[in-house]
Amino acid sequence: MPRKFKSLESLLKPDPVYGSKLVSKFINNVMYQGKKSVAQSIFYDAMAILAKKVPNGDPLEIFKTAIENVKPQIEVRSKRVGGATYQVPMEVNKKRQQALAIRWILEAARGKTGKPLSKRLADELTDAFNKEGVAIKTRENIHKMAEANKAFAHFAW
């Protein structure tokens, strides 16, 4: 009888404060060198800053909306045909959309300097919620590249 493997998604436990697997995944991406407690404190401090910035908004909802706003719908992938390499636009699956959104928000927050990471993360999440900032710009650039290369869409595999 074949053995059934659990997906990594099912092994992920929800975070202790919000009970959300998305938050848990985000914290795991913030983490450096296995220091989860440091990553958790950075994230929860950022959420506290978000709660102060938007007094009538739920920080978890702001976080989820920010992630949704950054998710790319389409991306370009390299495809070699004959001697030429084409940038072929392709749809992005749900898991990759989420992973890219998390990665871009963290890259944008880490790219800024002069403030603690929790404050930079709160700023970037606020910007993403308002559909502005570095992470949204990255998404728009990816969409523009896909639009510019839609002539090669017939190479999609």
Side-chain angles (χ1 to χ4, degrees):
M1 184 164 191
R3 213 167 118 188
K4 302 247 178 182
F5 289 100
K6 288 186 179 180
S7 68
L8 290 176
E9 192 84 13
S10 65
L11 296 175
L12 189 67
K13 291 188 175 99
D15 80 297
V17 175
Y18 296 104
S20 166
K21 285 190 176 188
L22 177 62
V23 170
S24 193
K25 195 176 293 187
F26 194 86
I27 287 170
N28 287 343
N29 279 281
V30 173
M31 181 170 52
Y32 264 134
Q33 298 179 344
K35 299 193 174 185
K36 194 167 200 155
S37 59
V38 173
Q40 283 177 328
S41 67
I42 289 169
F43 179 79
Y44 294 133
D45 289 350
M47 294 302 264
I49 293 166
L50 268 180
K52 287 178 190 168
K53 271 188 176 182
V54 186
N56 57 351
D58 175 29
L60 185 62
E61 285 306 311
I62 293 168
F63 170 72
K64 285 180 180 176
T65 307
I67 295 279
E68 283 297 318
N69 289 344
V70 176
K71 282 182 178 178
Q73 303 304 312
I74 197 164
E75 68 178 344
V76 290
R77 291 211 172 151
S78 296
K79 169 97 170 154
R80 197 172 160 118
V81 178
T85 304
Y86 297 105
Q87 295 290 321
V88 180
M90 300 188 77
E91 280 189 35
V92 186
N93 72 21
K94 297 266 185 238
K95 280 186 179 179
R96 183 158 167 78
Q97 282 181 355
Q98 191 180 66
L100 286 171
I102 290 170
R103 192 179 311 154
W104 292 343
I105 289 172
L106 282 172
E107 278 177 13
R110 288 182 176 137
K112 298 174 184 173
T113 55
K115 292 185 214 169
L117 182 57
S118 56
K119 202 171 186 96
R120 291 178 285 171
L121 184 57
D123 291 345
E124 192 55 42
L125 286 170
T126 306
D127 287 347
F129 178 74
N130 295 324
K131 295 189 178 178
E132 50 193 38
V134 180
I136 293 288
K137 196 162 204 73
T138 305
R139 175 183 182 263
E140 286 171 358
N141 288 342
I142 295 288
H143 280 206
K144 279 181 191 169
M145 275 176 34
E147 184 68 27
N149 288 300
K150 74 177 179 187
F152 305 121
H154 64 281
F155 288 125
W157 58 90

